[in-house]
Amino acid sequence: MSSTRRDFIRTSALASSLLLVPKFLHALDRGPGLARLGDAPGARRLIVVQLSGGNDGLNMVIPYKNDLYYRARPTLGIRETDGILALEQDLGLHPALAGLKGLYDQGQLAILNSVGYPNPDRSHFRSMDIWQSGSGADQSVSTGWLGRYLDSACPACQQPYNALEIDDTLSLAMKGSTRKGLALKNAGKFHQLTQNRRLAQVSQHTAPGHHSQVDYLYKTLAETTSAADYLYRKSSGHHSAVAYPNSDFGKSLKTTAELISAGVESRVYYLALSGFDTHVRQREQQQRLFTDLGDGLAALAKDLQQHNQWENTLVLVFSEFGRRVQENASHGTDHGTANPVLLLGGKLRKKGVLNAAPDLANLDQGDLRHQVDFRSIYASILKDWLEADEAAILGTGFERLSGLV
């Protein structure tokens, strides 16, 4: 192999790490001038927020009228005197979630309690794979539910790309068999990476057609550069005036809003907020995390409202599992099972608390029993919001939640 070809393979690690799919980005060469997604009749987008680490849902959506909750959590239990934000059905939000309470009061928040799946797994990696793939606990699936949405719903898509993850790497959720999402922290840094002089030199001196691996990497690099140029061109000059939390999560939300307001044609955005593995000192950690989450999502809603993009946006918030009902000896909680899922948007068909609070008197070996299979939520979003074939993506047997979105 020539030194040029070896250099190309080494330096093309950038393109590979960005996890793009060839075929997907040829439309980028069409240049600017695309209509905004929100201007297309019936067009809708989905923003997924992943709470990584296993969020303790019982201290997020709190059954503050239930004595069993306080018996299980004599030190961790959040009390009315702490400033619980009252909802309905004797439930309340954690005091740090004032941003979400504001959206709830405006009819822009829906809460589904006790969401999970049969035979739950308490491993972070395995349970996250299950949620991201949309599979059962007894299955191993190498594609994600949103990746399969890209595969099935957009076989001849004319948009530049369909899905963006605001991160350095791409999650399983965004990987399909033939299409994948695109991972980037922000358009400016993404564009800067592709302007690397060494990459440009190798690209110019390596002609495709000689070696299948080199051909693939050459094509991927070319399409990565094209994608970066498009995103940079579309988003330049679009800077949000809304105040977001000064955190990685806040910056990711701001980037998402700026891309949307710039007219970038993505149907799916994927973000993560990490740190929810609260085995110790949970109270302090949740205070910080929930402030970031609530204030950040409230800022996103305000930002998109200002650009007339909130009504055609749905936000899904989930975590890979909840925590044990009983607090542990380290002022934290250990890995559990079912958990609340949140839906936010300017055009929710159902609002508020949508089902019964967790049954603390009927536990499964100390864990909550799930009331709702998470794949029923996915099926509802795919069919009723994204207008996709949910059975082709998830398989059969998952009844949609009527009128959810």
Side-chain angles (χ1 to χ4, degrees):
M1 183 183 291
S2 70
S3 62
T4 301
R5 190 164 288 135
R6 283 195 298 270
D7 285 346
F8 179 80
I9 291 174
R10 280 198 299 268
T11 55
S12 62
L14 166 64
S16 299
S17 70
L18 293 171
L19 296 171
L20 299 176
V21 162
K23 304 179 184 177
F24 198 44
L25 300 172
H26 288 304
L28 293 170
D29 295 328
R30 292 188 300 147
L34 291 171
R36 288 154 55 99
L37 177 64
D39 297 332
R44 294 166 172 173
R45 72 175 59 82
L46 172 68
I47 300 174
V48 178
V49 175
Q50 172 184 300
L51 307 182
S52 302
N55 174 43
D56 177 26
L58 279 178
N59 272 21
M60 180 187 203
V61 182
I62 305 162
Y64 68 98
K65 299 287 188 179
N66 192 330
D67 289 341
L68 294 176
Y69 166 74
Y70 293 107
R71 289 181 202 170
R73 299 181 173 207
T75 63
L76 281 185
I78 310 297
R79 301 181 180 276
E80 287 189 75
T81 53
D82 295 322
I84 287 175
L85 305 170
L87 303 173
E88 56 199 281
Q89 299 189 35
D90 293 335
L91 294 170
L93 289 174
H94 189 283
L97 291 170
L100 290 185
K101 180 58 161 59
L103 295 173
Y104 170 87
D105 292 340
Q106 297 171 52
Q108 297 174 7
L109 172 66
I111 299 170
L112 281 158
N113 291 299
S114 304
V115 181
Y117 56 92
N119 303 312
D121 196 296
R122 291 181 180 81
S123 161
H124 290 294
F125 302 105
R126 179 60 186 139
S127 191
M128 187 63 80
D129 279 353
I130 291 167
W131 276 83
Q132 290 193 1
S133 66
S135 65
D138 59 346
Q139 297 174 292
S140 180
V141 177
S142 61
T143 57
W145 73 285
L146 293 170
R148 295 195 300 277
Y149 160 71
L150 298 178
D151 287 342
S152 68
C154 203
C157 185
Q158 296 301 306
Q159 305 297 344
Y161 41 80
N162 269 357
L164 295 176
E165 182 156 1
I166 312 303
D167 205 341
D168 292 323
T169 57
L170 199 69
S171 299
L172 172 62
M174 301 279 273
K175 298 177 184 178
S177 296
T178 60
R179 299 183 186 277
K180 291 182 174 68
L182 167 65
L184 72 157
K185 273 290 191 181
N186 64 61
K189 289 183 179 178
F190 183 48
H191 183 260
Q192 186 178 20
L193 280 171
T194 62
Q195 301 309 299
N196 181 290
R197 181 178 298 178
R198 182 178 176 84
L199 287 172
Q201 289 174 343
V202 174
S203 178
Q204 290 169 4
H205 292 93
T206 307
H210 301 295
H211 187 282
S212 60
Q213 183 183 21
V214 173
D215 291 351
Y216 176 85
L217 293 172
Y218 180 92
K219 193 173 185 180
T220 302
L221 176 59
E223 290 172 336
T224 300
T225 303
S226 182
D229 288 344
Y230 172 83
L231 290 168
Y232 183 71
R233 185 171 65 244
K234 290 290 285 185
S235 62
S236 292
H238 289 268
H239 302 295
S240 172
V242 173
Y244 284 83
N246 186 25
S247 63
D248 286 345
F249 181 63
K251 291 172 185 175
S252 294
L253 288 169
K254 184 177 181 181
T255 295
T256 300
E258 289 175 344
L259 290 169
I260 290 170
S261 65
V264 169
E265 295 284 318
S266 180
R267 297 300 299 274
V268 177
Y269 292 82
Y270 202 96
L271 301 83
L273 174 58
S274 301
F276 286 90
D277 196 15
T278 53
H279 291 281
V280 299
R281 298 177 57 249
Q282 176 173 295
R283 185 178 286 270
E284 297 89 342
Q285 292 184 69
Q286 280 198 319
Q287 179 70 29
R288 172 181 55 82
L289 291 165
F290 286 162
T291 300
D292 206 6
L293 178 67
D295 292 355
L297 291 176
L300 176 74
K302 179 180 178 180
D303 209 343
L304 295 184
Q305 285 170 346
Q306 291 180 357
H307 292 89
N308 299 314
Q309 296 295 314
W310 184 232
E311 285 199 353
N312 61 313
T313 298
L314 178 68
V315 182
L316 167 69
V317 182
F318 82 97
S319 190
E320 70 263 38
F321 47 61
R323 316 295 292 189
R324 300 280 284 179
V325 174
Q326 186 78 39
E327 67 179 57
N328 64 27
S330 302
H331 303 295
T333 50
D334 298 323
H335 297 181
T337 54
N339 219 7
V341 163
L342 310 182
L343 295 170
L344 302 87
K347 205 170 183 180
L348 294 177
R349 294 178 64 185
K350 288 188 175 181
K351 309 156 189 178
V353 180
L354 304 187
N355 61 339
D359 187 351
L360 300 186
N362 183 23
L363 302 179
D364 181 6
Q365 301 181 56
D367 280 319
L368 298 177
R369 298 179 186 273
H370 81 277
Q371 299 179 37
V372 179
D373 193 305
F374 75 97
R375 289 161 293 187
S376 290
I377 300 174
Y378 288 180
S380 302
I381 291 171
L382 289 167
K383 179 67 173 180
D384 300 329
W385 186 256
L386 296 175
E387 298 181 334
D389 184 347
E390 81 284 11
I393 295 168
L394 297 173
T396 58
F398 306 111
E399 185 176 352
R400 302 200 312 276
L401 305 176
S402 177
L404 181 61
V405 293

